[in-house]
Short mmCIF file of all heavy atoms in Angstrom, two decimals:
data_model
loop_
_atom_site.label_atom_id
_atom_site.label_comp_id
_atom_site.label_asym_id
_atom_site.label_seq_id
_atom_site.Cartn_x
_atom_site.Cartn_y
_atom_site.Cartn_z
N ARG A 91 13.59 12.93 -12.40
CA ARG A 91 12.90 13.22 -11.14
C ARG A 91 13.68 14.28 -10.39
O ARG A 91 14.88 14.18 -10.23
CB ARG A 91 12.80 11.96 -10.29
CG ARG A 91 12.12 12.19 -8.98
CD ARG A 91 10.66 12.46 -9.18
NE ARG A 91 10.02 12.65 -7.91
CZ ARG A 91 8.81 12.19 -7.60
NH1 ARG A 91 8.14 11.52 -8.48
NH2 ARG A 91 8.29 12.41 -6.43
N GLY A 131 6.74 1.65 -7.84
CA GLY A 131 5.59 2.51 -7.66
C GLY A 131 5.62 3.32 -6.39
O GLY A 131 4.64 3.97 -6.05
N LEU A 132 6.75 3.31 -5.67
CA LEU A 132 6.85 4.13 -4.47
C LEU A 132 7.06 5.59 -4.83
O LEU A 132 6.94 6.47 -3.99
CB LEU A 132 8.01 3.64 -3.60
CG LEU A 132 7.83 2.24 -3.04
CD1 LEU A 132 9.01 1.88 -2.17
CD2 LEU A 132 6.56 2.15 -2.22
N ARG A 134 5.86 8.09 -8.14
CA ARG A 134 5.15 8.11 -9.42
C ARG A 134 6.01 8.83 -10.43
O ARG A 134 6.58 9.86 -10.14
CB ARG A 134 3.83 8.88 -9.23
CG ARG A 134 2.71 8.39 -10.07
CD ARG A 134 1.50 9.29 -9.86
NE ARG A 134 0.84 9.00 -8.61
CZ ARG A 134 -0.15 8.12 -8.47
NH1 ARG A 134 -0.57 7.44 -9.51
NH2 ARG A 134 -0.71 7.93 -7.31
N VAL A 152 -1.23 -3.84 -7.50
CA VAL A 152 -1.44 -5.24 -7.12
C VAL A 152 -0.77 -6.18 -8.10
O VAL A 152 0.00 -7.06 -7.72
CB VAL A 152 -2.95 -5.54 -7.05
CG1 VAL A 152 -3.18 -6.97 -6.64
CG2 VAL A 152 -3.62 -4.61 -6.08
N ASP A 166 13.26 -3.03 6.15
CA ASP A 166 12.13 -2.47 6.87
C ASP A 166 11.08 -3.54 7.14
O ASP A 166 10.37 -3.96 6.23
CB ASP A 166 11.53 -1.36 5.98
CG ASP A 166 10.70 -0.42 6.78
OD1 ASP A 166 10.64 -0.59 8.00
OD2 ASP A 166 10.09 0.47 6.17
N ARG A 172 6.57 -11.77 14.62
CA ARG A 172 7.51 -12.88 14.71
C ARG A 172 7.82 -13.36 13.31
O ARG A 172 7.10 -13.07 12.36
CB ARG A 172 6.88 -14.00 15.52
CG ARG A 172 6.56 -13.61 16.95
CD ARG A 172 6.34 -14.82 17.82
NE ARG A 172 5.69 -15.89 17.11
CZ ARG A 172 4.54 -16.44 17.49
NH1 ARG A 172 3.93 -15.96 18.55
NH2 ARG A 172 4.02 -17.41 16.81
N ASP A 174 7.65 -16.39 12.02
CA ASP A 174 6.63 -17.24 11.41
C ASP A 174 5.39 -16.44 11.04
O ASP A 174 4.73 -16.71 10.03
CB ASP A 174 6.26 -18.42 12.34
CG ASP A 174 5.74 -17.94 13.68
OD1 ASP A 174 5.81 -16.73 13.96
OD2 ASP A 174 5.25 -18.77 14.44
N GLU A 175 5.09 -15.41 11.83
CA GLU A 175 3.95 -14.55 11.47
C GLU A 175 4.26 -13.79 10.20
O GLU A 175 3.39 -13.58 9.34
CB GLU A 175 3.66 -13.56 12.60
CG GLU A 175 3.02 -14.20 13.79
CD GLU A 175 2.89 -13.23 14.95
OE1 GLU A 175 3.62 -12.22 14.97
OE2 GLU A 175 2.07 -13.49 15.82
N ARG A 178 3.76 -16.11 7.37
CA ARG A 178 2.33 -16.39 7.18
C ARG A 178 1.62 -15.20 6.54
O ARG A 178 0.75 -15.35 5.69
CB ARG A 178 1.73 -16.69 8.55
CG ARG A 178 0.31 -17.13 8.54
CD ARG A 178 -0.07 -17.61 9.93
NE ARG A 178 -1.51 -17.71 10.03
CZ ARG A 178 -2.24 -17.14 10.97
NH1 ARG A 178 -1.67 -16.45 11.93
NH2 ARG A 178 -3.53 -17.26 10.96
N TYR A 179 1.99 -14.00 6.96
CA TYR A 179 1.35 -12.80 6.43
C TYR A 179 1.73 -12.57 4.97
O TYR A 179 0.87 -12.33 4.12
CB TYR A 179 1.78 -11.61 7.29
CG TYR A 179 1.33 -10.27 6.81
CD1 TYR A 179 -0.01 -9.92 6.81
CD2 TYR A 179 2.24 -9.33 6.36
CE1 TYR A 179 -0.43 -8.68 6.38
CE2 TYR A 179 1.83 -8.09 5.94
CZ TYR A 179 0.50 -7.76 5.95
OH TYR A 179 0.10 -6.53 5.52
N ALA C 1282 4.75 -21.99 18.35
CA ALA C 1282 5.20 -21.47 17.06
C ALA C 1282 4.70 -22.31 15.91
O ALA C 1282 4.41 -21.81 14.85
CB ALA C 1282 6.72 -21.42 17.04
N SER C 1285 0.96 -21.96 13.84
CA SER C 1285 0.60 -21.05 12.76
C SER C 1285 0.99 -21.57 11.40
O SER C 1285 0.54 -21.10 10.39
CB SER C 1285 1.21 -19.67 12.99
OG SER C 1285 2.35 -19.77 13.76
N GLN C 1288 -2.04 -22.90 9.39
CA GLN C 1288 -3.22 -22.09 9.16
C GLN C 1288 -2.89 -20.90 8.28
O GLN C 1288 -2.84 -19.78 8.77
CB GLN C 1288 -3.77 -21.56 10.48
CG GLN C 1288 -4.35 -22.62 11.36
CD GLN C 1288 -4.69 -22.05 12.71
OE1 GLN C 1288 -4.29 -20.95 13.04
NE2 GLN C 1288 -5.41 -22.81 13.50
N GLN C 1297 -4.48 -8.95 5.75
CA GLN C 1297 -4.32 -7.53 6.06
C GLN C 1297 -5.15 -7.16 7.29
O GLN C 1297 -4.73 -6.34 8.10
CB GLN C 1297 -4.74 -6.69 4.84
CG GLN C 1297 -4.41 -5.24 4.94
CD GLN C 1297 -2.93 -4.95 4.99
OE1 GLN C 1297 -2.12 -5.77 4.59
NE2 GLN C 1297 -2.58 -3.79 5.51
N ARG C 1303 -3.44 -6.53 14.74
CA ARG C 1303 -2.27 -6.67 15.59
C ARG C 1303 -1.58 -5.31 15.77
O ARG C 1303 -1.02 -5.04 16.81
CB ARG C 1303 -1.27 -7.66 14.98
CG ARG C 1303 -1.64 -9.10 15.18
CD ARG C 1303 -1.50 -9.50 16.62
NE ARG C 1303 -0.13 -9.32 17.05
CZ ARG C 1303 0.80 -10.27 17.02
NH1 ARG C 1303 0.50 -11.46 16.59
NH2 ARG C 1303 2.01 -10.03 17.43
N ALA C 1374 8.46 1.16 3.92
CA ALA C 1374 8.46 0.52 2.60
C ALA C 1374 7.73 -0.81 2.64
O ALA C 1374 7.15 -1.25 1.64
CB ALA C 1374 9.91 0.31 2.14
N ALA C 1377 4.28 0.08 2.09
CA ALA C 1377 4.03 0.68 0.78
C ALA C 1377 4.07 -0.36 -0.33
O ALA C 1377 3.48 -0.17 -1.38
CB ALA C 1377 5.06 1.76 0.50
N PRO C 1382 -4.60 -2.78 -3.39
CA PRO C 1382 -4.90 -1.41 -3.81
C PRO C 1382 -5.23 -0.50 -2.63
O PRO C 1382 -5.64 -0.96 -1.56
CB PRO C 1382 -6.13 -1.56 -4.72
CG PRO C 1382 -6.61 -2.94 -4.56
CD PRO C 1382 -5.59 -3.74 -3.84
N HIS C 1592 2.98 6.54 -3.10
CA HIS C 1592 3.56 6.72 -4.42
C HIS C 1592 4.32 8.02 -4.54
O HIS C 1592 4.54 8.51 -5.61
CB HIS C 1592 2.47 6.68 -5.49
CG HIS C 1592 1.68 5.42 -5.45
ND1 HIS C 1592 2.26 4.18 -5.57
CD2 HIS C 1592 0.37 5.21 -5.28
CE1 HIS C 1592 1.32 3.26 -5.50
NE2 HIS C 1592 0.17 3.84 -5.32
N GLY C 1593 4.67 8.60 -3.41
CA GLY C 1593 5.51 9.79 -3.45
C GLY C 1593 4.89 10.91 -4.23
O GLY C 1593 5.54 11.59 -4.99
#
Side-chain angles (χ1 to χ4, degrees):
Chain A
R91 180 69 179 220
L132 295 181
R134 213 184 283 269
V152 181
D166 200 4
R172 298 197 324 238
D174 59 351
E175 287 174 339
R178 186 170 165 233
Y179 174 67
Chain C
S1285 26
Q1288 291 172 348
Q1297 190 65 21
R1303 281 290 300 267
H1592 303 303

